[in-house]
Amino acid sequence: MNDLILYGDVYAGLDRLENNSIALAITSPPYWKQRDYGFEGQVGQENTAEEYIGRLLVIFNKLRDKLREDGIFFLNVGDKYLNRYGKSHLLQIPYRLAYYMSKNGWHLLDILIWYKSNHMPSSVDDRFVNTYEPVLVLAKNKDSNIYKKGFKNVLKIPLQQTPWEHTAAFPEKLIWELLYRVNLKDGDLVLDPFAGTGTVAVVVKALRNPIFAKNIYSIMIEKGETFVDIIKKRVGIENIEKVNDVDYKWGPVVEEKVPKEIEPREILTDRHGEVFIANTSEEFLSALKGITTHKFKTFHREDALYFFGVKQWTVLDLYYVHSIFYEDYVLRNMLVLSNGNSWYPVFMFARNITKVG
């Protein structure tokens, strides 16, 4: 058995693989509207975030067929603001994707937080600087899978410098950390459907040495010719198979708002803004529904600032908070509070007006 590069479109590459053959998938797809990789049909250049999420859903449904019944999928997706500058709304792309993947049959086992200790600075002055990205832990089977529980789910790992321009490689240390969290056996296959510069393949190859003695192998799918050349040189993979494009249909996801049956809870203590940390998802969604009422909006000043959090969160909380945009609010940050071996979110938001500093 050898490592393999499938040179072509991600969907075509996945279509080439046997069903139920992959033990572990690790990937970080191109982020929405982040950079142009210079070839037609690339993921990440869709017109809207809803189209981007909808396309990834179709691709990852195909990937799920290729996973073994006990297989695990680590998915790193970065978030984006609706506008690059100014009073802009955080789109919650990773968590909206997780919500729809769960509806499609995936089991969301965990969300790891990759804290970038040497994160890039930012000139924005109306929100906190982005210092982390989530890694979704997904499975075909909720209870019988190779994921090992009990680890901390906030990972403090610095960005890794690379010699290649215009790439967004995640660090090798992050891949090592993820591999520690699964039970891999000899002969297992590890897939990266958006291989980029081949970081996953580098770490998989490093496991095949006398110290680790794990005979696992990688399959890299990559359409960019420059990146395929980098993988060849970086990892020494000679087994390269060209795959032809396969037509597939995708469309935008349909947005959902907080369910009507949830009763609104209005937090009315300070006209300048509110800090409310719910214990449960039910409490949080009720408070989230409360911000839509006329009483809440008229009680607070127009330039009020809000911090709403939830300790025992579910993916519903991370998903539905996006809907505040349709109530004339903007989500400026999702803050992460580390709490021992776990974390919980606190959302900072304000009215969608220019008065709020």
Side-chain angles (χ1 to χ4, degrees):
M1 189 177 294
N2 296 303
D3 297 321
L4 170 67
I5 299 174
L6 294 176
Y7 175 25
D9 177 72
V10 58
Y11 194 88
L14 290 170
D15 199 52
R16 158 73 176 74
L17 301 176
E18 293 184 11
N19 287 352
N20 305 305
S21 62
I22 304 298
L24 175 65
I26 304 176
T27 203
S28 184
Y31 299 170
W32 183 61
K33 295 295 187 182
Q34 186 75 9
R35 52 176 52 87
D36 188 341
Y37 290 99
F39 56 84
E40 188 177 350
Q42 60 185 295
V43 173
Q45 293 299 313
E46 296 74 20
N47 291 325
T48 67
E50 290 72 31
E51 290 181 7
Y52 172 71
I53 294 170
R55 188 176 187 183
L56 287 180
L57 285 175
V58 173
I59 292 169
F60 294 149
N61 279 350
K62 172 67 74 171
L63 186 152
R64 187 178 58 201
D65 294 337
K66 309 306 169 181
L67 276 187
R68 293 189 329 214
E69 289 302 313
D70 63 349
I72 289 295
F73 180 23
F74 290 116
L75 173 58
N76 166 230
V77 182
D79 213 341
K80 288 286 288 185
Y81 283 87
L82 185 59
N83 301 306
R84 187 173 180 183
Y85 301 109
K87 313 300 179 184
S88 190
H89 175 68
L90 185 62
L91 290 169
Q92 292 294 98
I93 287 174
Y95 316 105
R96 292 160 69 191
L97 177 59
Y99 171 76
Y100 289 110
M101 290 179 73
S102 298
K103 291 186 70 173
N104 278 3
W106 286 95
H107 296 282
L108 182 65
L109 303 183
D110 204 349
I111 299 179
L112 309 178
I113 296 296
W114 167 29
Y115 168 56
K116 296 176 278 189
S117 53
N118 61 341
H119 59 85
M120 297 293 291
S122 173
S123 60
V124 296
D125 59 6
D126 64 349
R127 59 179 183 256
F128 293 103
V129 177
N130 176 36
T131 65
Y132 72 89
E133 292 183 10
V135 178
L136 311 179
V137 184
L138 299 141
K140 286 181 71 170
N141 191 304
K142 182 178 179 181
D143 299 313
S144 179
N145 56 67
I146 61 172
Y147 185 57
K148 296 187 290 188
K149 300 178 182 179
F151 292 89
K152 291 183 178 180
N153 52 14
V154 176
L155 314 177
K156 186 178 180 180
I157 297 172
L159 293 165
Q160 179 179 338
Q161 289 188 339
T162 69
W164 307 287
E165 294 182 3
H166 307 301
T167 63
F170 41 28
E172 293 175 23
K173 188 176 180 182
L174 176 62
I175 306 305
W176 280 106
E177 186 65 45
L178 298 179
L179 289 175
Y180 288 145
R181 295 163 186 260
V182 290
N183 286 308
L184 292 174
K185 299 178 181 178
D186 284 352
D188 281 351
L189 297 176
V190 178
L191 168 71
D192 186 347
F194 295 96
T197 57
T199 302
V200 171
V202 169
V203 178
V204 167
K205 182 180 180 180
L207 284 172
R208 297 197 302 268
N209 64 36
I211 297 176
F212 297 102
K214 286 283 188 179
N215 290 318
I216 62 174
Y217 299 88
S218 64
I219 298 176
M220 302 288 102
I221 301 175
E222 179 53 51
K223 189 170 185 177
E225 182 178 1
T226 301
F227 292 131
V228 170
D229 290 340
I230 290 172
I231 298 170
K232 283 177 59 180
K233 295 174 183 176
R234 189 180 180 195
V235 190
I237 300 176
E238 298 296 334
N239 190 14
I240 302 174
E241 182 178 326
K242 183 75 168 65
V243 291
N244 296 321
D245 287 356
V246 174
D247 290 332
Y248 63 102
K249 295 181 179 180
W250 50 272
V253 292
V254 178
E255 288 297 288
E256 301 175 18
K257 295 184 180 181
V258 181
K260 292 181 178 180
E261 61 269 20
I262 293 179
E263 291 293 327
R265 174 180 177 180
E266 295 153 331
I267 311 299
L268 309 170
T269 60
D270 188 337
R271 291 178 57 82
H272 295 82
E274 303 288 353
V275 176
F276 175 72
I277 309 298
N279 285 311
T280 66
S281 177
E282 291 78 11
E283 291 177 1
F284 176 78
L285 292 179
S286 179
L288 196 63
K289 192 72 170 289
I291 75 171
T292 68
T293 66
H294 177 74
K295 185 177 180 181
F296 184 92
K297 292 180 178 179
T298 55
F299 175 84
H300 296 99
R301 291 170 28 153
E302 278 191 320
D303 61 352
L305 188 63
Y306 308 95
F307 292 87
F308 279 28
V310 52
K311 292 184 176 179
Q312 299 172 38
W313 57 269
T314 72
V315 72
L316 295 179
D317 308 306
L318 308 180
Y319 172 80
Y320 282 124
V321 73
H322 165 69
S323 67
I324 67 174
F325 182 71
Y326 306 114
E327 301 293 338
D328 206 29
Y329 294 94
V330 288
L331 178 63
R332 292 190 174 172
N333 282 106
M334 186 181 108
L335 309 177
V336 165
L337 274 69
S338 181
N339 184 18
N341 286 343
S342 61
W343 63 270
Y344 66 89
V346 175
F347 304 99
M348 182 175 79
F349 60 97
R351 296 293 296 273
N352 190 12
I353 55 176
T354 58
K355 289 183 180 180
V356 187

